[in-house]
Amino acid sequence: MSIGNYQKLALALLLGAELLGLGTSAGATTINRTFCVSSLNKSLSGQSVAFWGFGDCGGRGGMGGSGMMGGGTSPGPVIELGAGDTLNLSLMINMMTPQEAYPYNGHTIHLHGADVPTSEDGVPETNNNAVNGDTYTWSPQTGHEGTYMYHCHVHTVKHLEMGMYGAIVVRPKDASGNLLNRITPDPATAYNYQQIYVLGTVDPAYHTASGDSTVFGDYNPQYFLISGKEGKTASSPAISLAAATSKKVALRLAGLHSTNATFAIKDSAGNLKSFTIYVQDGRALPTPKSVTSVDISPGQRFDVLTTLPATSGTWYPQVTYKRLRDNSPYATVYGKITF
Amino acid sequence: MPWCLAALFGQAEATTQDFTLYISSGTWPINGAGGTIVDIWGYGDRAGSPTVPGPALTVYEGDNVNLTVVNNHSIDHNLVIQGVSTDLSAIPPGGSKTYSFTAPTAGTYLYSDTLNNSVNREMGLYGAFIVRPADGSNRAWTGGPAYTFERTWVVSDMDKSRWNDVAGSGGTIDTAVYKPNYFLINGLGGFDGMMDPATTLDGMVGDTALVRIVNAGQYSQSLHFHANHFEVLTSNGVRWPSPYQQLDTINVPPMTTADVLFHLNQPGHYPMHSHTSQMETANGIYLNGVATMIMIH
Ligand SMILES: [Cu+2]
Ligand SMILES: [Cu+2]
């Protein structure tokens, strides 16, 4: 929206005092959130790397607390909503916001996979260069359950690579409006646990370069992440889950990396464990597919379900990042499920 | 720019389709910020006029195709249509060859020069071979999904300094090292891919576009559509079952193809772009490379 951005922002901030629970019709909820952008550093393999991350401005208290600075992280906060709900996601830009110089100043939020109209799409080149704050509205329908992503769409080769991204999960709801622990309305997709694996790769040169630089034509990733963390070995996983035996785990895979990648689950003996893909890119597969690995390219999402064994043990869901030319591996990043 | 050599309008029975392509060296512009002039080797429909990609060759299922390739370049070349033709032998400098075959099942195919350890292909020797249904209908195949209009996106990549500059001046390339800095859609590596009428999806709400994606490069292409999901009809010549799976991002590995059906659903202007960061640039300069526009009225 190019008109009334600031009015909309102010309204969103007022409403943001209660981030959840503004029911509009039976079972449907309006979710108002306001993101700020902040600078942060991550220690990756002992090196300090600068990131930009989204965070709720001032946390749940609206303008209070850390106020305008936000507590940005990379990936940013997970946004969960139900099919039929409305998300009003506002972006606040202020003097504390890290930015590039013109013409790549400002930021947007693109709701990746949401199929929203141009005015909500967060693409500056198509939306009057609205990069100084806006509200992005989306109402996913039933049938669109699954994992989506958000990311800045300004000079994406820089801003997305800086870590300005996060996951959005759209869940089915029951008749009274409660979120269901299912991937889709289909009871076969019921789960006991869910975890979100945000795939990410880091070329530190992209984090220090800016503007029209030839650096952005040569991607040499050095660090490989799941949900913002390195997990180079099975004994130091990037992400872990303590679960009970025989339970079902939904893993939501979000491709915010810039390489090829393959996801698999192995047990402690290295055997591949099967899982079922129910949803890809927020759309149910016409026929769910049981596999032992799946390739994830930049921008793709998969919602998969696996059943843990009846006897206790450890599984290692893992992502192997691969070269775009020949699929030769760069590195494997480990997750962990104990049961 | 690719040009269809065949008549675009339908015919009821198989006919003979004769094509002649001329291989030569030349130069190719990458326009706009970050742009340059690259040395290329290409197929052209006129002697001495190589293009990247080569001309799109459009035929109808069952046609008798005679494709003559004239090698006006200084080294061996060939032309192989993936999954269609099987003659890999070289056409020597100054020589020519006619490949004769029956047009296969309707779909999208990649043709390229398979010689010289990918160097000939990287230099620009590739294009799309398109087979339309024999009845001339606007369908992906006989009785298949219908469309209002179609586009072909030949996507590719070039490493100017390590490959094109070296091969263009007669040197020897270290093919183990490939770091492309130009990423092309229909030969356009600059912002002009966003505006090229043969590339953009431009139509009315309710229209349906058949998009034929051909990855002639060496890097995997992960193409993301704004505005709407698309239906995947085929990948690498294999038809997917109906109802078709819907995606918003498709991975097209090197030397493969995909046919997708895009429904123009809501007015507005939307990008379609590679989601792999450096592939949205021309030598690092944004917004170029593999990107175009979806314009819905
Ligand atoms: Cu940004
Ligand atoms: Cu995106």
Side-chain angles (χ1 to χ4, degrees):
Chain A
M1 302 285 167
S2 56
I3 298 168
N5 288 344
Y6 290 99
Q7 291 91 323
K8 282 178 72 179
L9 259 179
L11 181 64
L13 282 168
L14 287 170
L15 296 173
E18 279 299 324
L19 290 172
L20 297 171
L22 289 176
T24 53
S25 64
T29 301
T30 297
I31 297 162
N32 299 297
R33 288 178 81 158
T34 302
F35 279 179
C36 285
V37 184
S38 40
S39 296
L40 59 139
N41 282 280
K42 283 180 189 288
S43 177
L44 299 174
S45 299
Q47 304 295 311
S48 180
V49 181
F51 280 74
W52 295 340
F54 288 112
D56 289 294
C57 298
R60 283 189 68 94
M63 293 296 281
S66 52
M68 298 163 79
M69 298 192 52
T73 55
S74 181
V78 172
I79 298 173
E80 273 201 301
L81 69 160
D85 290 349
T86 297
L87 172 68
N88 295 314
L89 180 58
S90 297
L91 172 64
M92 174 175 273
I93 306 285
N94 56 47
M95 54 190 295
M96 306 302 295
T97 305
Q99 298 200 36
E100 273 197 282
Y102 179 86
Y104 303 129
N105 56 298
H107 302 287
T108 66
I109 301 174
H110 167 60
L111 304 171
H112 176 112
D115 298 343
V116 290
T118 303
S119 59
E120 313 302 318
D121 204 29
V123 177
E125 291 83 0
T126 59
N127 192 30
N128 304 314
N129 201 31
V131 295
N132 295 309
D134 206 342
T135 297
Y136 306 94
T137 298
W138 179 37
S139 302
Q141 312 159 20
T142 298
H144 293 180
E145 296 86 359
T147 300
Y148 297 80
M149 312 190 293
Y150 62 84
H151 62 79
C152 180
H153 221 292
V154 175
H155 196 208
T156 51
V157 67
K158 168 71 177 175
H159 293 214
L160 191 154
E161 289 295 327
M162 284 299 281
M164 297 187 68
Y165 53 70
I168 305 173
V169 175
V170 177
R171 286 164 59 184
K173 299 181 92 170
D174 67 17
S176 30
N178 303 306
L179 292 175
L180 286 167
N181 288 337
R182 296 178 185 174
I183 294 174
T184 71
D186 180 356
T189 66
Y191 56 80
N192 304 100
Y193 308 93
Q194 73 162 345
Q195 251 187 344
I196 300 163
Y197 281 39
V198 177
L199 281 64
T201 49
V202 177
D203 178 348
Y206 278 51
H207 288 242
T208 49
S210 70
D212 286 332
S213 167
T214 57
V215 166
F216 297 119
D218 183 10
Y219 195 65
N220 295 288
Q222 305 294 307
Y223 311 116
F224 303 90
L225 311 177
I226 294 176
S227 297
K229 296 204 172 92
E230 295 183 289
K232 293 182 175 180
T233 63
S235 57
S236 60
I239 184 169
S240 56
L241 173 70
T245 53
S246 304
K247 298 295 188 189
K248 291 188 165 186
V249 180
L251 294 175
R252 301 181 181 277
L253 314 171
L256 285 155
H257 57 311
S258 270
T259 65
N260 286 344
T262 301
F263 172 82
I265 304 174
K266 291 183 182 175
D267 65 15
S268 44
N271 302 306
L272 288 165
K273 311 312 291 185
S274 81
F275 55 91
T276 304
I277 304 168
Y278 282 97
V279 170
Q280 183 179 347
D281 290 356
R283 296 293 184 274
L285 272 61
T287 307
K289 199 155 74 176
S290 288
V291 297
T292 55
S293 73
V294 66
D295 291 337
I296 306 171
S297 70
Q300 293 186 321
R301 293 88 61 209
F302 291 84
D303 296 273
V304 311
L305 195 63
T306 190
T307 305
L308 301 173
T311 54
S312 61
T314 308
W315 281 5
Y316 300 98
Q318 52 199 265
V319 176
T320 300
Y321 292 96
K322 300 175 171 180
R323 287 173 177 78
L324 291 165
R325 187 185 186 195
D326 60 5
N327 263 324
S328 63
Y330 287 109
T332 296
V333 183
Y334 294 87
K336 180 179 175 180
I337 302 173
T338 51
F339 46 89
Chain B
M1 301 297 305
W3 298 104
C4 291
L5 294 184
L8 278 173
F9 298 100
Q11 56 230 70
E13 53 200 63
T15 56
T16 297
Q17 301 266 14
D18 296 322
F19 301 102
T20 302
L21 297 180
Y22 303 85
I23 295 173
S24 60
S25 62
T27 58
W28 193 250
I30 311 287
N31 293 312
T36 187
I37 306 282
V38 278
D39 287 338
I40 59 153
W41 303 337
Y43 301 104
D45 54 10
R46 287 175 295 132
S49 298
T51 59
V52 180
L57 308 175
T58 301
V59 302
Y60 296 84
E61 219 168 40
D63 279 354
N64 302 308
V65 183
N66 300 307
L67 171 55
T68 299
V69 178
V70 179
N71 182 1
N72 289 332
H73 189 226
S74 53
I75 64 167
D76 287 354
H77 290 286
N78 71 6
L79 188 154
V80 178
I81 306 176
Q82 290 243 113
V84 178
S85 66
T86 50
D87 181 356
L88 307 180
S89 62
I91 308 167
S96 70
K97 177 181 286 189
T98 299
Y99 303 90
S100 295
F101 54 92
T102 304
T105 186
T108 306
Y109 302 84
L110 164 69
Y111 73 80
S112 68
D113 183 335
T114 62
L115 301 176
N116 202 10
N117 201 13
S118 300
V119 171
N120 292 1
R121 175 165 54 97
E122 196 274 349
M123 290 297 286
L125 287 159
Y126 48 76
F129 176 67
I130 294 160
V131 183
R132 305 184 76 225
D135 62 7
S137 61
N138 277 354
R139 293 181 181 274
W141 54 83
T142 305
Y147 56 86
T148 319
F149 64 94
E150 65 181 299
R151 292 285 182 271
T152 302
W153 294 344
V154 178
V155 289
S156 58
D157 38 73
M158 288 181 174
D159 179 338
K160 180 181 184 293
S161 62
R162 293 171 199 82
W163 285 54
N164 294 66
D165 287 353
V166 174
S169 57
T172 302
I173 291 168
D174 173 8
T175 56
V177 180
Y178 184 64
K179 295 167 86 63
N181 56 340
Y182 289 101
F183 301 92
L184 314 179
I185 181 166
N186 291 340
L188 304 172
F191 191 75
D192 41 7
M194 305 287 280
M195 299 172 292
D196 173 42
T199 303
T200 58
L201 303 185
D202 191 339
M204 309 291 287
V205 172
D207 285 353
T208 297
L210 174 67
V211 184
R212 306 174 181 276
I213 305 167
V214 177
N215 185 357
Q218 297 187 61
Y219 268 28
S220 286
Q221 293 270 356
S222 190
L223 302 181
H224 172 58
F225 290 59
H226 291 227
N228 200 4
H229 283 54
F230 51 83
E231 296 176 285
V232 184
L233 303 184
T234 72
S235 53
N236 215 20
V238 178
R239 284 179 197 163
W240 287 34
S242 166
Y244 302 105
Q245 193 178 340
Q246 296 175 54
L247 304 178
D248 59 57
T249 307
I250 189 164
N251 187 37
V252 186
M255 297 291 279
T256 70
T257 63
D259 291 339
V260 307
L261 203 61
F262 183 84
H263 300 279
L264 284 70
N265 61 325
Q266 56 181 340
H269 290 186
Y270 308 90
M272 186 297 302
H273 60 91
S274 166
H275 218 275
T276 307
S277 55
Q278 88 263 33
M279 297 166 82
E280 294 178 84
T281 74
N283 200 27
I285 312 306
Y286 185 84
L287 167 63
N288 294 297
V290 178
T292 192
M293 287 298 296
I294 301 167
M295 291 177 287
I296 308 177
H297 312 282

